């Protein structure tokens, strides 16, 4: 399998995933008319990944054909999205949220679960470049996904946008299916529970992984808070809730541009420092959004992307550098699940807060991103005091 096949499949799947979040937000907002219920739907889809990521990572590390497992996860995720939109407005809302939670179990397959397979398709001397391209696929997907979701929602209705997202995820399954096989080592073939414990120990005991994971997860909490504000920002500042999805594409444009620049001109800072710097840049975005002006709002999301893109590339570099080969899938999938869970918690918390006070939700997002940027040692010292 060639690297470009891997990247094409990753891009299609991740575009569907990036479209799914805004589409669900807009569908929930259209049906319920409430940011609280809309953010609950998004949070439900994301929250279950706290369990799904570690289990999926352990299964991937022990699988002789991990691509086939990924393809199955993609099919489950796409089918779950179809069930969610089919039940929205027809079934009791708690039942729809429960369906979204079950769907989220397969979510990490689109992010960390796929990225963990990169060394199988890229030669060691090309892994650094392939890693940058893999991270850029997230940026490209984050650009195309919300734009597709917003455009489909405006033209055809929010439910159609969710169906489009599900179709894109399903379309990536063939590329996952043909990912290379690998020999099963004794360590990689351990019982799932043993693998889960080993992966958790690696994330907790390796200082570089622990610091990068903490910063990225708290950053995702802030990202979830800002995203939950998108329908209201679109409605109040841009003249339509559907137009708010375009703001996420603005963030993706700048993230992609920043990643391309860093791939061409590598920075002198180590990736560990770039992870924290990305969080600091992201803290500016919700603060700028408080201005309530269209031009400043667009600038705010462009700034957000300038922090998100390089942070993700640096995070992947830390994981590839620090994760033991037999536990690589576990580290990537568990890290992805923690990030998605952080995003979900941020969205769930900010939805009701934004309904009460949009400026308060944006201020909370800024404070959370600043906390993510704080060095872990200082945070522990403050906690002890």
């Amino acid at each position: 399998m060639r690297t470009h096949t891997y990247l094409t499949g990753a891009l299609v799947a991740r575009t569907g995933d990036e479209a799914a979040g805004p589409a669900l937000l807009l569908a929930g907002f259209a049906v319920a008319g409430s940011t609280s219920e809309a953010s609950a739907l998004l949070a439900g889809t994301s929250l279950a990944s706290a369990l799904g990521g570690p289990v999926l990572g352990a299964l991937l590390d022990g699988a002789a054909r991990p691509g086939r497992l990924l393809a199955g996860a993609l099919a489950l995720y796409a089918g779950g999205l179809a069930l969610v939109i089919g039940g929205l407005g027809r079934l009791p809302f708690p039942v729809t949220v429960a369906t979204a939670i079950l769907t989220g179990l397969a979510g990490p397959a689109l992010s960390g679960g796929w990225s963990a397979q990169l060394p199988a398709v890229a030669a060691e001397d090309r892994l650094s470049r392939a890693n940058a391209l893999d991270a850029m696929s997230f940026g490209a997907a984050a650009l195309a996904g919300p734009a597709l979701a917003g455009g489909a929602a405006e033209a055809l209705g929010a439910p159609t946008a969710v169906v489009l997202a599900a179709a894109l995820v399903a379309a990536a399954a063939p590329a996952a299916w043909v990912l290379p096989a690998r020999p099963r080592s004794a360590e990689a073939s351990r019982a799932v529970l043993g693998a889960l414990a080993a992966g958790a120990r690696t994330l907790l005991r390796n200082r570089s992984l622990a610091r990068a994971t903490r910063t990225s997860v708290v950053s995702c909490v802030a990202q979830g808070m800002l995203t939950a504000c998108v329908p209201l920002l679109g409605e109040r500042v841009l003249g339509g809730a559907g137009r708010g999805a375009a703001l996420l594409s603005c963030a993706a444009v700048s993230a992609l541009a920043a990643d391309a620049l860093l791939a061409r001109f590598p920075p002198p800072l180590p990736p560990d420092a770039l992870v924290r710097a990305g969080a600091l840049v992201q803290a500016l975005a919700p603060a700028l959004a408080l201005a309530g002006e269209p031009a400043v709002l667009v600038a705010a999301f462009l700034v957000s992307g300038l922090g998100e893109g390089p942070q993700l590339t640096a995070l992947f570099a830390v994981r590839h550098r620090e994760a033991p080969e037999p536990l690589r899938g576990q580290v990537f999938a568990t890290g992805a699940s923690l990030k998605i869970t952080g995003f979900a918690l941020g969205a769930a918390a900010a939805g009701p807060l934004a309904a009460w006070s949009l400026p308060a939700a944006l201020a909370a997002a800024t404070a959370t991103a600043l906390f993510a940027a704080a060095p872990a040692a200082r945070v522990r010292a403050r906690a002890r005091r």
Side-chain angles (χ1 to χ4, degrees):
M1 182 186 192
R2 295 183 178 180
T3 306
H4 68 78
T5 305
Y6 163 95
L7 291 171
T8 300
L11 178 60
V12 173
R14 289 163 180 168
T15 300
D17 189 35
E18 291 289 347
L24 286 171
L25 265 179
L26 294 173
F29 189 72
V31 172
S34 165
T35 56
S36 297
E37 294 195 7
S39 61
L41 200 59
L42 175 61
T45 308
S46 305
L47 198 56
S49 64
L51 174 63
V55 173
L56 178 62
L59 293 173
L60 286 172
D61 285 332
R65 296 301 301 262
R68 295 185 178 181
L69 179 60
L70 282 177
L74 293 177
L76 288 173
Y77 190 79
L81 288 175
L83 289 175
V84 168
I85 199 60
L88 187 62
R90 298 177 180 87
L91 298 175
F93 190 71
V95 174
T96 305
V97 172
T99 305
I101 291 172
L102 291 175
T103 301
L105 290 172
L110 289 80
S111 49
W114 202 307
S115 292
Q117 311 310 312
L118 185 59
V121 299
E124 187 174 352
D125 59 342
R126 297 183 179 180
L127 183 58
S128 178
R129 175 174 171 77
N131 175 58
L133 292 173
D134 187 41
M136 287 175 68
S137 76
F138 282 92
L143 168 61
L148 286 172
E154 287 283 325
L156 303 170
T160 303
V162 179
V163 173
L164 174 62
L168 285 170
V169 172
W177 185 268
V178 297
L179 282 167
R182 65 186 180 201
R184 299 180 66 176
S185 67
E187 188 174 0
S189 302
R190 282 181 283 208
V192 170
L193 289 178
L196 288 173
R201 285 196 300 269
T202 300
L203 278 174
L204 291 173
R205 293 180 180 178
N206 184 298
R207 288 189 176 184
S208 294
L209 279 175
R211 283 195 296 262
T213 299
R214 170 203 164 271
T215 301
S216 65
V217 169
V218 180
S219 293
C220 279
V221 176
Q223 292 166 20
M225 289 178 160
L226 184 58
T227 301
C229 297
V230 159
L232 275 179
L233 287 170
E235 186 177 63
R236 296 182 183 180
V237 182
L238 302 179
R243 297 177 185 176
L247 294 171
L248 301 177
S249 293
C250 291
V253 167
S254 58
L256 197 57
D259 279 337
L261 186 64
L262 292 180
R264 180 68 180 84
F265 303 103
L269 292 175
D272 311 73
L274 282 176
V275 172
R276 289 199 306 272
L280 190 60
V281 173
Q282 289 175 63
L284 296 174
L288 288 172
L290 283 166
E293 296 292 332
V296 180
L297 184 59
V298 170
F301 279 81
L302 289 172
V303 169
S304 177
L306 291 177
E308 290 178 24
Q311 184 186 60
L312 183 62
T313 302
L315 177 64
F316 282 2
V318 173
R319 287 178 183 168
H320 280 303
R321 185 190 71 201
E322 301 291 338
E325 177 60 32
L327 295 173
R328 190 182 301 275
Q330 176 74 255
V331 168
F332 268 85
T334 301
S337 75
L338 290 172
K339 288 185 64 180
I340 297 171
T341 301
F343 183 92
L345 292 174
L353 184 58
W356 173 70
S357 171
L358 183 58
L362 293 171
T366 293
T368 302
L370 287 173
F371 179 74
R378 293 183 185 177
V379 173
R380 287 195 298 268
R382 290 171 186 166
R384 285 194 297 268
R385 289 199 295 269

